[in-house]
Amino acid sequence: MLTHSWRNSEIQQMPQDGEIGKYSIPKGYVNATQMAKANKKLLADYVRLKSTTEYLQALSHDMGIPISSLVIDISGRANSQGTWVHPEIAIDLARWVSVEFRIWANRTLMKVMLTTQVEPIQQQESPHKLLPSHEAAQLALLVGEFAGLEKSLTAQLAVNAAIRVNPALKPAADELKTAIAITNVSDDAYLKPTDIGEKVGMSAVAVNNWLVHAGLQYRTDDKKIPYRPTDSGKQWGRMVAAIAKGSNQTVFQLRWLPKVTQLFNESN
């Protein structure tokens, strides 16, 4: 059992799949009751939120895991009793608690999910001894979180960072990147310039030029990511992670909401 310290409170986390009494607790699960209590809040206040209910239902559907397995209530086990939750739920809970606690949770709780074997003492006393590939992935996760990137894009960045530090991870990482791209169904709703062109009667080149002149995107010097959205364009488009044709390399493309075609029509 891992015990993290947040200010003057302790928060427990499972370093590997294990059991607490008759309950099976997967790796990475966190004692959410302790998280709330450490910040003088009630977990029940978070649970009763409509946004929390919707989030749990969506996460359950996305992961194919029932809510009862994502949120596990344990009673009668002294210091380990309370509600244990999946690490993604723990991060969402931390976001509700405070910005400061959210930063701490991202840096501390997710490290367990990025390691294949965790030594409890090293985790709480010497986090700097983590493998360089883990540190690189963790840094990418933090950057993605602070930059407000989509989860799938942030995950792709973390995988790429780990590979750069340790190329031996590439076979397993390629499988992970493919799974991320396949399961990120929401990206399908976004249009490529070619798709926009088919709807408004323009070529992809003309669409990109129009988007530049409209102040929605700008050209970069990066051949892999030739366009990025401007501040105005961010309400219409986003960077999407995809698998390049003919390879298993991750590429990032700027795509647009279907309603952006209305802007083209209004300008004519």
Side-chain angles (χ1 to χ4, degrees), residues 129-224:
K129 292 184 179 180
L130 288 174
L131 294 177
S133 57
H134 300 155
E135 292 282 7
Q138 179 68 12
L139 177 60
L141 287 174
L142 289 173
V143 171
E145 177 73 17
F146 282 118
L149 300 179
E150 293 294 324
K151 287 186 177 180
S152 67
L153 178 55
T154 300
Q156 295 277 9
L157 292 174
V159 173
N160 288 342
I163 295 174
R164 291 191 189 96
V165 175
N166 185 358
L169 296 174
K170 189 176 187 304
D174 283 345
E175 293 184 11
L176 179 59
K177 289 194 291 185
T178 299
I180 293 172
I182 291 174
T183 55
N184 192 25
V185 180
S186 63
D187 289 342
D188 293 341
Y190 288 79
L191 303 179
K192 295 180 291 186
T194 303
D195 301 324
I196 296 174
E198 291 176 355
K199 293 180 180 294
V200 300
M202 298 170 64
S203 68
V205 173
V207 168
N208 276 321
N209 288 334
W210 190 96
L211 291 168
V212 170
H213 291 306
L216 299 182
Q217 71 176 14
Y218 62 92
R219 292 186 178 88
T220 73
D221 295 327
D222 188 344
K223 293 182 179 180
K224 293 183 179 179

Side-chain angles (χ1 to χ4, degrees), residues 1-265:
M1 183 79 68
L2 275 174
T3 300
H4 304 295
S5 295
W6 166 250
R7 295 179 176 170
N8 296 321
S9 300
E10 294 183 346
I11 298 173
Q12 295 176 324
Q13 185 177 26
M14 292 296 291
Q16 298 292 343
D17 293 347
E19 295 183 353
I20 298 178
K22 63 180 181 179
Y23 301 94
S24 295
I25 309 298
K27 172 185 176 180
Y29 274 49
V30 186
N31 192 320
T33 302
Q34 293 176 341
M35 289 179 64
K37 184 178 180 181
N39 290 276
K40 296 180 173 55
K41 290 180 177 286
L42 295 176
L43 181 61
D45 291 338
Y46 165 77
V47 173
R48 68 167 59 98
L49 293 173
K50 180 181 178 181
S51 59
T52 300
T53 300
E54 294 174 346
Y55 171 68
L56 294 179
Q57 291 173 345
L59 184 63
S60 174
H61 176 74
D62 180 71
M63 300 184 71
I65 300 175
I67 294 177
S68 59
S69 295
L70 293 172
V71 180
I72 304 173
D73 292 316
I74 297 177
S75 60
R77 297 297 302 180
N79 193 41
S80 297
Q81 68 181 1
T83 299
W84 289 73
V85 299
H86 187 280
E88 287 194 32
I89 299 175
I91 296 301
D92 189 69
L93 170 61
R95 181 182 292 110
W96 170 77
V97 169
S98 69
V99 172
E100 185 178 6
F101 189 58
R102 174 186 179 185
I103 294 172
W104 176 88
N106 272 298
R107 290 177 175 171
T108 305
L109 303 180
M110 290 307 294
K111 284 184 180 180
V112 173
M113 305 306 294
L114 295 172
T115 55
T116 56
Q117 185 173 3
V118 179
E119 294 292 336
I121 295 179
Q122 290 183 341
Q123 173 67 16
Q124 66 182 71
E125 294 185 2
S126 303
H128 60 280
K129 292 184 179 180
L130 288 174
L131 294 177
S133 57
H134 300 155
E135 292 282 7
Q138 179 68 12
L139 177 60
L141 287 174
L142 289 173
V143 171
E145 177 73 17
F146 282 118
L149 300 179
E150 293 294 324
K151 287 186 177 180
S152 67
L153 178 55
T154 300
Q156 295 277 9
L157 292 174
V159 173
N160 288 342
I163 295 174
R164 291 191 189 96
V165 175
N166 185 358
L169 296 174
K170 189 176 187 304
D174 283 345
E175 293 184 11
L176 179 59
K177 289 194 291 185
T178 299
I180 293 172
I182 291 174
T183 55
N184 192 25
V185 180
S186 63
D187 289 342
D188 293 341
Y190 288 79
L191 303 179
K192 295 180 291 186
T194 303
D195 301 324
I196 296 174
E198 291 176 355
K199 293 180 180 294
V200 300
M202 298 170 64
S203 68
V205 173
V207 168
N208 276 321
N209 288 334
W210 190 96
L211 291 168
V212 170
H213 291 306
L216 299 182
Q217 71 176 14
Y218 62 92
R219 292 186 178 88
T220 73
D221 295 327
D222 188 344
K223 293 182 179 180
K224 293 183 179 179
I225 309 178
Y227 296 98
R228 289 186 181 275
T230 62
D231 289 340
S232 298
K234 288 178 182 178
Q235 64 178 310
W236 301 97
R238 81 178 207 191
M239 301 305 298
V240 170
I243 298 298
K245 294 181 179 180
S247 72
N248 209 15
Q249 296 297 313
T250 301
V251 294
F252 301 110
Q253 303 171 340
L254 176 53
R255 296 187 184 179
W256 304 89
L257 286 169
K259 63 182 181 180
V260 77
T261 56
Q262 297 173 9
L263 300 180
F264 285 81
N265 295 330

